[in-house]
Amino acid sequence: MAIDPKLEADLKSQGVHVTSFEQLINWGRSSSLWPLQFGLACCAIEMIAATMAKYDMARFGAEVFRPSPRQADLMIVAGTVTKKMAPQVVRLYNQMAEPKYVIAMGACAISGGPFKDGYNVLKGIDRFIPVDVMIPGCPPRPAALLEGLMTLRDKIAREKLIGRHRARHADPEGAAEVPVPEFGAHDLEPTANREIWNPPVVVREAGGEA
Amino acid sequence: MSAETVIERLREALPDAGVSLRKNPGPSCQHSLLVNAASLLDVCNVLRDTLAFDLLSNVTGVDWPDAAKADAVALPAEGEGTSSAGGFLEVLYHLYSTSRREGPLVLRARTVDREKQNQIPSVVAVYRSAEFQEREIFDLYGVEFTGHPDLRRILMWDEFEDHPMRKDYVAPDDYDYEPTPHDAVLEKARAHYPAAP
Amino acid sequence: MISDPSMFSSSPTLEPGADDDQLLRVSLGPQHPSTHGVFRMNVVLDGETVVSLKPVFGYLHRNHEKIAENATYLSSMPYTDRLDYICPLSNNWAYAHAVEKLAGIEVPERAEFMRVITAELTRLINHTAFMGFILGDMGAWGSALMYAFREREKILDVFEDLTGARMMANFMRFGGCRNDLPAGWAAKVSVLIDGYGPFLDEMEKLLIGNEILLGRTQDVGALPKEVLINGGITGPMLRAAGVNYDIRKVEPYGIYERFEFRIPLGEKGDCYDRIMIRFLEMRESLKILRQAIDQLPEGDFIHPKAKIRNFKPPVGEAYARIEGPKGELGFHLISDGTTNPYRYRVRPPSFINLTLLEDMCLGLDLADVVIILGSIDIVLGEVDR
């Protein structure tokens, strides 16, 4: 809900600060995201470097990395998600309480990355859990992770808490848990969560150039 | 101690063990000893206790569906027959001696075929370092190591049924979406395209 | 005699039994702050004492070896960066070394010096990060890591100047390196190594007398030398137990014979020795770096006839190993004369160093398990490949 900027400036000059509940709550939430301590592979090292003195994620409020998913509200999936690890990632996601956000950091978490032809590699964590921000790179520099974090903060700041287009966590009917995949004989079952993963259907002529 | 010296000492100690020298045609000149799977444990005991090869550094599994290729890499000596045409699985061992600072000594052991007769004795009783590496070869290639204390899958999940590193393994088709496919990936992706309207 | 299988004490997989209700099964991992990645241990406890410990691998199994069979030799080079992702440049060297052995390629002198310099800088970052991580495991969460990463960033800046990337350098080629040193790089490294000695002094002063460190690491996790060699343990873990086996001296590769450096050895092989030996190794690395920077010659950075496109090594096989910061990193390659390797095998030091994890932990407390795992210094990219 936007306040009329002229009115806001007018009142501010008289020492009265006007805001809406939405702005206030979103500001509080985005300024103190607590990530889950969850590094899978190489991107985890850059994530750790982003929390260290040179890049310092603490100034964004995201310093406190909680080991337990019950206490975290941001899951930075940093590294390749293998099919063996995928059910655990989904279970961790389910254990986080709403509101929760997911950043897919690195090419592997977005789409499988350089290991895309692997038989044990899940081709993107967005097949099973909804992802808010994707940070490309292999590995993305710590500064890129900070940019991704700032993008997420902007996204949270724009969230609506009431109305038809409200955020998932503001909707009491909204599903907070996603189904956990099982280990099959040759692959995970199901291979993707069709309610979340809907790749664009590309119509290409058969036999023509791709 | 070169491979030739080792093979002489082995033949003295174990005259019945089927050990033969296989030459390596490449520039690395790392020749190997092909050991009969049945005498593998005896050979390892002699190597460790008498010849002081105490460090088993590496255990590699290889899939040879085409036995002729295996002979091209590890040349049989004259007079020795070529390998059976059916294809087999092979396990290579790289041994080092910490006291004499020598190595690598390369041993090869082969299964009879790639289906039911895929057993090789486990050397864990002699070299503990083979424990996890043999489990990995069991998981990815399907070689059954008889005598291994805990032979189960190590890298893939337990319900998995294939042996992915074999040459004839087909990975499950879970691509769905490829933004700019070409060549082999395009062929695979075409299966997912909707029928032309 | 070690040939008796019942002598090594790995307990069989425990099934639920009659007297089982007093034991507590804990699954440590795969998401755990102290498991250095996605590593899982199924621990069975009697009170606080470990009765059985079964590691579970595979959570980061990224099919590196299968991908390499379908790719050319050179295109596997970036994947070697991602094996032991804290030391990418030494993985590159190990792979380049193996291919050069397979195909009989020679490396010019300047390239060898560049390789030694980058490898020893990588050893510095690995051991510094190790120090940070193990102190985090002991409870000094983040404090030592801040110092470690501060120094690490300085070395990563130098790597970025040289290779274009902080971590995944992809720098070695078969026959040399990818590009020559940029102007002024050697001077920068010289300043860096001069400043590293005081940093190590500061860290040692803070750590050596630390009561908690001494209490938690002394006499924890030691095993006899013969058991370690039989278990395939290599690297600082083996030297901490007093075995003088460093591949740079035993089977010198590159130009390590030209440098004067010693191999620090421990006495007991417990966690304390493993931590302190890495400090001493860092000092030896600084010595090697100083000599290498001073003696750096002019010349080619890659063999002039090195073949980049359509590289087909002759039929044969080769196994080559280097002394990586974590242990013996080896590559076993089988070539069938085509552009793709027939078999590409990584001999992962972290994976094989974990063989004796259970033996080291039996009878100790759960808290010691974390310290012992930290002192083995594993990286899951290498364990699972």
Side-chain angles (χ1 to χ4, degrees):
Chain A
M1 248 303 284
I3 318 274
D4 181 28
K6 196 166 156 306
L7 174 64
E8 195 179 343
D10 207 14
L11 287 169
K12 205 168 192 176
S13 66
Q14 301 179 36
V16 178
H17 185 66
V18 183
T19 182
S20 69
F21 268 123
E22 237 174 45
Q23 278 182 334
L24 188 63
I25 291 175
N26 286 345
W27 169 78
R29 187 173 291 143
S30 66
S31 305
S32 84
L33 286 167
W34 285 7
L36 175 66
Q37 223 170 52
F38 185 58
L40 291 167
C42 347
C43 283
I45 306 296
E46 291 291 55
M47 185 169 74
I48 295 174
T51 60
M52 291 291 128
K54 187 167 180 184
Y55 293 99
D56 197 14
M57 204 144 64
R59 50 200 165 122
F60 294 93
E63 179 187 22
V64 187
F65 272 69
R66 306 304 297 173
S68 163
R70 305 273 184 208
Q71 299 165 2
D73 45 14
L74 168 64
M75 184 155 89
I76 306 182
V77 183
T80 321
V81 188
T82 56
K83 291 183 184 169
K84 191 165 181 180
M85 188 65 194
Q88 323 295 348
V89 177
V90 180
R91 273 197 201 106
L92 285 167
Y93 179 76
N94 286 345
Q95 286 178 355
M96 286 165 69
E98 288 280 12
K100 53 189 173 184
Y101 306 95
V102 176
I103 291 183
M105 176 182 176
C108 292
I110 296 176
S111 71
F115 300 97
K116 191 159 187 171
D117 351 333
Y119 48 83
N120 190 28
V121 173
L122 186 66
K123 296 158 180 54
I125 189 62
D126 55 346
R127 288 194 172 204
F128 286 109
I129 57 179
V131 170
D132 293 300
V133 173
M134 296 186 177
I135 308 177
C138 190
R141 297 177 65 93
L145 174 59
L146 295 176
E147 164 102 15
L149 192 64
M150 291 197 287
T151 312
L152 180 65
R153 291 179 58 165
D154 290 340
K155 185 172 180 182
I156 297 175
R158 289 192 310 263
E159 271 181 350
K160 303 209 174 310
L161 299 179
I162 51 174
R164 205 153 33 100
H165 300 288
R166 59 191 166 180
R168 188 185 71 228
H169 58 82
D171 181 8
E173 311 295 321
E177 292 199 355
V178 291
V180 179
E182 310 254 320
F183 289 134
H186 304 281
D187 198 353
L188 288 175
E189 273 153 21
T191 57
N193 183 350
R194 288 295 150 192
E195 285 165 37
I196 296 174
W197 168 245
N198 282 310
V201 174
V202 180
V203 180
R204 293 194 173 105
E205 288 134 28
E209 54 170 43
Chain B
M1 198 180 278
S2 65
E4 287 87 354
T5 329
V6 173
I7 205 174
E8 270 174 35
R9 303 279 291 272
L10 279 174
R11 284 189 180 140
E12 280 170 41
L14 299 166
D16 296 327
V19 186
S20 64
L21 182 70
R22 293 285 169 130
K23 288 224 180 260
N24 182 354
S28 73
C29 295
Q30 286 176 349
H31 307 302
S32 48
L33 305 180
L34 176 61
V35 179
N36 205 350
S39 32
L40 182 63
L41 266 181
D42 293 329
V43 167
C44 285
N45 270 315
V46 168
L47 285 173
R48 189 193 63 185
D49 300 331
T50 324
L51 297 177
F53 280 101
D54 49 359
L55 177 64
L56 173 62
S57 172
N58 178 37
V59 183
T60 308
V62 195
D63 181 22
W64 296 108
D66 178 7
K69 278 194 169 179
D71 284 339
V73 168
L75 303 169
E78 290 111 45
E80 228 184 303
T82 53
S83 312
S84 65
F88 46 80
L89 298 161
E90 188 177 45
V91 180
L92 281 105
Y93 303 84
H94 288 90
L95 292 161
Y96 285 86
S97 168
T98 54
S99 46
R100 285 199 313 271
R101 301 191 154 195
E102 275 175 11
L105 173 67
V106 188
L107 296 181
R108 311 179 99 91
R110 294 179 174 170
T111 62
V112 177
D113 66 22
R114 293 166 80 232
E115 284 94 33
K116 293 280 180 217
Q117 296 181 289
N118 58 348
Q119 289 86 14
I120 288 183
S122 162
V123 301
V124 176
V126 186
Y127 295 109
R128 179 81 186 278
S129 60
E131 189 180 343
F132 289 161
Q133 301 187 72
E134 286 184 349
R135 273 178 68 183
E136 183 186 336
I137 299 175
F138 167 68
D139 185 2
L140 300 179
Y141 281 95
V143 175
E144 220 181 279
F145 289 95
T146 51
H148 193 284
D150 185 14
L151 192 67
R152 53 195 165 97
R153 285 189 180 266
I154 192 169
L155 291 176
M156 301 303 291
W157 57 87
D158 292 324
E159 297 87 346
F160 197 71
E161 276 173 15
D162 301 318
H163 296 292
M165 282 294 286
R166 289 205 181 183
K167 295 287 179 182
D168 51 2
Y169 171 73
V170 176
D173 182 12
D174 55 352
Y175 273 75
D176 284 10
Y177 171 58
E178 278 296 323
T180 51
H182 55 90
D183 300 339
V185 180
L186 177 58
E187 294 308 314
K188 274 195 264 192
R190 280 217 172 101
H192 293 276
Y193 292 165
Chain C
M1 255 340 274
I2 312 183
S3 55
D4 178 14
S6 63
M7 185 207 160
F8 59 84
S9 51
S10 103
S11 48
T13 316
L14 285 183
E15 295 299 324
D19 51 350
D20 198 41
D21 53 349
Q22 296 300 320
L23 300 175
L24 178 67
R25 288 166 194 278
V26 179
S27 164
L28 239 68
Q31 185 260 343
H32 188 272
S34 300
T35 55
H36 299 269
V38 282
F39 179 60
R40 179 174 171 201
M41 293 179 277
N42 284 334
V43 185
V44 178
L45 297 170
D46 178 11
E48 277 276 332
T49 322
V50 174
V51 167
S52 143
L53 189 151
K54 294 289 170 206
V56 182
F57 303 96
Y59 290 102
L60 197 58
H61 180 50
R62 294 187 283 195
N63 326 131
H64 178 208
E65 299 182 355
K66 186 86 183 180
I67 292 174
E69 285 180 11
N70 297 328
T72 61
Y73 284 89
L74 190 58
S75 50
S76 291
M77 186 62 88
Y79 289 94
T80 60
D81 282 327
R82 289 149 177 89
L83 274 175
D84 174 359
Y85 37 80
I86 305 193
C87 344
L89 281 154
S90 35
N91 304 345
N92 282 352
W93 189 2
Y95 179 51
H97 184 48
V99 173
E100 282 151 15
K101 209 172 214 180
L102 180 71
I105 305 175
E106 278 177 15
V107 182
E109 204 188 359
R110 183 175 168 88
E112 292 280 21
F113 270 87
M114 285 160 68
R115 284 180 169 186
V116 168
I117 294 172
T118 47
E120 293 304 318
L121 283 172
T122 313
R123 199 178 307 270
L124 285 178
I125 19 178
N126 181 65
H127 288 344
T128 313
F130 163 82
M131 175 204 73
F133 285 128
I134 194 158
L135 282 161
D137 289 346
M138 276 188 240
W141 185 248
S143 319
L145 201 58
M146 285 275 178
Y147 285 90
F149 270 66
R150 181 190 71 188
E151 298 305 313
R152 185 170 178 264
E153 291 288 337
K154 293 181 190 162
I155 300 184
L156 288 182
D157 281 341
V158 152
F159 280 160
E160 195 176 357
D161 278 344
L162 177 65
T163 69
R166 285 155 54 93
M167 275 169 71
M168 307 307 174
N170 186 14
F171 185 56
M172 308 292 170
R173 294 286 177 267
F174 311 134
C177 303
R178 189 180 72 205
N179 50 263
D180 206 349
L181 302 178
W185 192 82
K188 270 190 233 175
V189 173
S190 187
V191 168
L192 199 154
I193 44 189
D194 284 336
Y196 222 84
F199 163 69
L200 289 179
D201 292 334
E202 185 188 27
M203 284 293 112
E204 278 184 14
K205 203 163 58 152
L206 289 171
L207 295 177
I208 285 189
N210 185 310
E211 216 179 351
I212 297 180
L213 184 104
L214 292 176
R216 286 201 72 177
T217 57
Q218 288 194 320
D219 296 320
V220 170
L223 283 178
K225 289 184 207 181
E226 299 73 32
V227 177
L228 287 177
I229 298 178
N230 193 264
I233 309 293
T234 51
M237 269 182 80
L238 186 64
R239 294 193 284 279
V243 179
N244 188 355
Y245 198 74
D246 183 321
I247 300 172
R248 295 175 291 174
K249 294 278 192 194
V250 163
E251 201 183 306
Y253 53 98
I255 42 165
Y256 273 110
E257 297 151 310
R258 297 200 207 172
F259 301 119
E260 248 186 66
F261 63 103
R262 296 180 302 175
I263 303 296
L265 293 176
E267 266 179 33
K268 288 191 270 189
D270 54 9
C271 293
Y272 181 73
D273 279 348
R274 288 177 203 153
I275 298 175
M276 289 307 151
I277 206 178
R278 287 178 165 101
F279 273 100
L280 295 172
E281 282 191 4
M282 279 200 269
R283 294 198 188 270
E284 299 299 323
S285 288
L286 288 174
K287 268 194 231 166
I288 300 177
L289 278 168
R290 175 48 61 200
Q291 292 168 56
I293 290 280
D294 289 341
Q295 298 169 22
L296 184 65
E298 298 299 321
D300 294 320
F301 60 89
I302 194 171
H303 195 273
K305 300 234 176 61
K307 198 153 191 266
I308 302 285
R309 291 190 191 284
N310 229 359
F311 171 68
K312 287 189 207 164
V315 176
E317 60 174 350
Y319 176 71
R321 54 186 195 157
I322 65 157
E323 181 71 30
K326 296 188 160 64
E328 171 187 329
L329 173 61
F331 278 82
H332 180 208
L333 295 165
I334 299 185
S335 158
D336 56 354
T338 60
T339 50
N340 301 358
Y342 187 83
R343 174 75 171 108
Y344 170 105
R345 151 90 180 160
V346 181
R347 188 261 182 213
S350 307
F351 184 57
I352 297 173
N353 286 353
L354 283 172
T355 311
L356 295 177
L357 177 63
E358 186 175 10
D359 299 62
M360 288 192 261
C361 294
L362 285 179
L364 297 176
D365 292 341
L366 184 60
D368 295 325
V369 171
V370 173
I371 301 292
I372 293 172
L373 183 67
S375 73
I376 300 180
D377 194 12
I378 59 169
V379 161
L380 263 295
E382 198 171 58
V383 169
D384 290 337
R385 280 148 289 134

